[in-house]
Structure formats: C-alpha cells, structure tokens
Amino acid sequence: MVGPTALDVPPTMTVKIFSAGVAACVADAITFPLDTAKVRLQIQGECQTSRAIRYKGVLGTITTLAKTEGPVKLYSGLPAGLQRQISFASLRIGLYDTVQEFFSTGKETTPSLGSKISAGLTTGGVAVFIGQPTEVVKVRLQAQSHLHGLKPRYTGTYNAYRVIATTEGLIGLWKGTTPNLTRNVIINCTELVTYDLMKESLVKNKLLADDLPCHFVSALIAGFCTTVLSSPVDVVKTRFVNSPPGQYTSVPNCAMTMFTKEGPLAFFKGFVPSFLRLGSWNVIMFVCFEQLKRELMKSGQTVDCAT
C-alpha cells in the first residue's frame, strides 16, 4: 500500500500474495459467525411459513442459531470460506499494488486515484471468476437448516461441490457470478482504495505513523464505506445464490421480487452484521497483512545477511 514503509526493501509480489491469503484466512476464521448471521438475515423473508424462525439483530441471530441448531452451525461452510480466501483474497489484495503500478507506469510517480480504482476493478474481477464456486458452496452451507424436519441439501463442503455440479451442471458452481462480480468489484475498489487513501493521508499529514494504529483506523473506515456501497448487491447475490433452480428467472428478477414483496429496506437486511463482519474483517486482515509482509521481508533480509 502507499506510504512510507519500515522496510528497506519493498515486499515482493509473492510475499504480498502469501501474506494476503494467510491474513484473509485468519480474519475469516475469527469473524465467520458474523458472516453466517448476515446470510441468515439476508435470506429471511423468503420463507413465510409460521414455523420459520425469525432472527432479530446480529447477536440475536447468533444466539438463536447456537440454541436451535448448535454452536457448530455458526461455522458451517468455513472450509469453503477458507478456500475462498486462498483463491480469492490472496489475488485481489496481493496483486493490487502490482496492478496499480502497471496502470501508473510512465504516467506519474505516485499512483493516481484512477490507477487505484483500475487496479481494484481488475484484481476484484479476476479473483471473482476464480473463486466463485467456493462462494456458492459457502453461502448454501451457511443458509441450510435442519430444523422442522428439513433434510439438508448437502452433508458437507465437498458433497456440496459434487451435488451442485451433478444436479445443476458445472455452470451451477458459477451461479450468481454477475451479482457477485458487481459486489466484489465494489468491495474491492472501495475497500482497497479507501484503505490506501486513508493510510496515505494519515501518514502524509503526520497524524499517525505507518504502523498498527494507522492500519487499524484506515481499515475500520474502509470497512464502513464498503458496507454502505455493497449491501444492496450483497443481499441480492446471497438470495440468488441460495435459491433453488427456478425460484428466480434472473438476477434482476430476484431484485425486483425482493423490492415488490419486501420493500426497499430488504436490500439492507443484515446491514449491522455486514458492517460488523466487514469492519472487523478489514481490521484483522489489514493489520495481519501489513505485519506479515514486514516480518517476512525482515526474515528474508536476515537470511541474506547471514549468508
């Protein structure tokens, strides 16, 4: 990211990709119950039966899930979630600086806002196509319930991959790519560009040094901005990805059905857990990412000096 660094040698692309993947997995493992609560709140409204459990608020959803389906249910889909971070976050975050430099080569010494946005669009778009199957499996495992005699659609992560591929075809694993692409392009641009600009501004104006407090504040602000802009697309993406074949004819049909049946506020269902998830995820990920990069480069320099 932009700003003075404590490293004598800038981190390599390999170090950035590895650090981003590990940091994202750590953040995902810690905040996963919030993500599960967000998914349950987002799909609430699809099932109108009297027996359907009503979730109220993020803590209420987590508590209800733990009581009715067991604490382990809060981590249903975690393996797919970690696979998603390895294949998705490592690329969109790890390649951001490299792609940003590509767009700004020969134009300016300091990357412009346009270069930052272009880099966010590019890395976010590429990562979505690669990681979409893991997103589909993660959401479906988080959404499925065994209550009221309902038979689970999938028994586990790899069973979900197999069942989706055999019943819906390989294209089923890329279901919802359009809303997810839109969502993640918004998230990637807002998250990385906001973090970049905030960090650069805090360091440049000497409000904070390029260290943990600066990374914490920048990540928290980036998380809030990202949640506001991405929430409507995120809800539609979750509903469409989780829907059985034939429920919605298209992504626009899913959005229109939500709007007509539940009103405009339906697009912001799960906003609080979304912010708690994205805000905490950003803080954990960016802090771990920055520290990992530094420690790995320090270790490399130590080895070089020793040899």
Side-chain angles (χ1 to χ4, degrees):
M1 299 298 169
V2 178
T5 176
L7 296 171
D8 294 324
V9 179
T12 63
M13 185 175 69
T14 302
V15 166
K16 290 176 185 176
I17 292 174
F18 177 80
S19 300
V22 173
C25 284
V26 171
D28 220 47
I30 294 173
T31 63
F32 204 78
L34 292 171
D35 192 46
T36 301
K38 178 202 74 172
V39 169
R40 286 300 180 96
L41 284 168
Q42 286 177 336
I43 64 172
Q44 185 163 267
E46 286 185 321
C47 182
Q48 300 292 349
T49 62
S50 59
R51 295 190 305 171
I53 288 179
R54 307 300 298 176
Y55 301 113
K56 296 182 179 180
V58 57
L59 293 179
T61 302
I62 290 175
T63 303
T64 300
L65 266 172
K67 286 182 178 179
T68 58
E69 301 183 50
V72 176
K73 188 62 184 177
L74 294 170
Y75 290 90
S76 181
L78 179 59
L82 296 179
Q83 291 165 9
R84 177 177 179 271
Q85 299 306 336
I86 292 170
S87 62
F88 176 68
S90 60
L91 295 179
R92 75 176 182 88
I93 297 168
L95 291 177
Y96 174 72
D97 283 342
T98 303
V99 176
Q100 184 182 144
E101 291 168 6
F102 170 79
F103 281 114
S104 60
T105 299
K107 298 178 182 178
E108 60 272 322
T109 52
T110 302
S112 64
L113 179 60
S115 297
K116 297 175 188 293
I117 293 174
S118 296
L121 289 170
T122 303
T123 60
V126 171
V128 165
F129 284 107
I130 295 174
Q132 181 64 14
T134 62
E135 173 76 12
V136 172
V137 170
K138 179 184 78 73
V139 168
R140 292 196 182 185
L141 288 173
Q142 287 176 309
Q144 76 174 6
S145 173
H146 62 261
L147 298 180
H148 311 306
L150 295 174
K151 183 180 178 181
R153 296 163 77 182
Y154 316 107
T155 58
T157 302
Y158 295 103
N159 174 258
Y161 283 118
R162 183 180 62 79
V163 171
I164 293 171
T166 54
T167 59
E168 301 176 44
L170 286 176
I171 197 171
L173 290 169
W174 273 267
K175 184 177 183 180
T177 297
T178 300
N180 200 32
L181 178 63
T182 306
R183 170 187 178 267
N184 279 295
V185 161
I186 293 172
I187 285 180
N188 208 46
C189 278
T190 309
E191 186 179 85
L192 295 176
V193 173
T194 303
Y195 177 81
D196 218 358
L197 292 174
M198 281 303 306
K199 179 181 168 184
E200 181 180 16
S201 178
L202 291 171
V203 173
K204 188 176 181 179
N205 293 301
K206 299 181 179 179
L207 296 174
L208 290 171
D210 184 5
D211 215 334
L212 198 148
C214 176
H215 304 156
F216 180 92
V217 172
S218 300
L220 192 60
I221 294 173
F224 178 77
C225 293
T226 302
T227 306
V228 171
L229 291 177
S230 67
S231 187
V233 181
D234 189 29
V235 177
V236 174
K237 181 268 302 181
T238 299
R239 290 281 186 97
F240 188 73
V241 166
N242 183 61
S243 65
Q247 182 171 353
Y248 303 114
T249 57
S250 63
V251 173
N253 172 254
C254 177
M256 186 56 66
T257 301
M258 285 175 55
F259 182 77
T260 54
K261 288 187 175 181
E262 302 171 58
L265 289 180
F267 293 96
F268 289 91
K269 280 190 173 183
F271 181 85
V272 174
S274 287
F275 170 62
L276 291 175
R277 156 75 167 173
L278 266 178
S280 56
W281 192 94
N282 269 267
V283 168
I284 297 167
M285 193 284 297
F286 277 117
V287 168
C288 290
F289 178 53
E290 298 280 9
Q291 297 304 313
L292 265 173
K293 284 191 300 182
R294 295 186 179 192
E295 292 304 317
L296 287 172
M297 292 308 292
K298 283 180 183 178
S299 300
Q301 290 179 47
T302 302
V303 171
D304 289 341
C305 291
T307 54

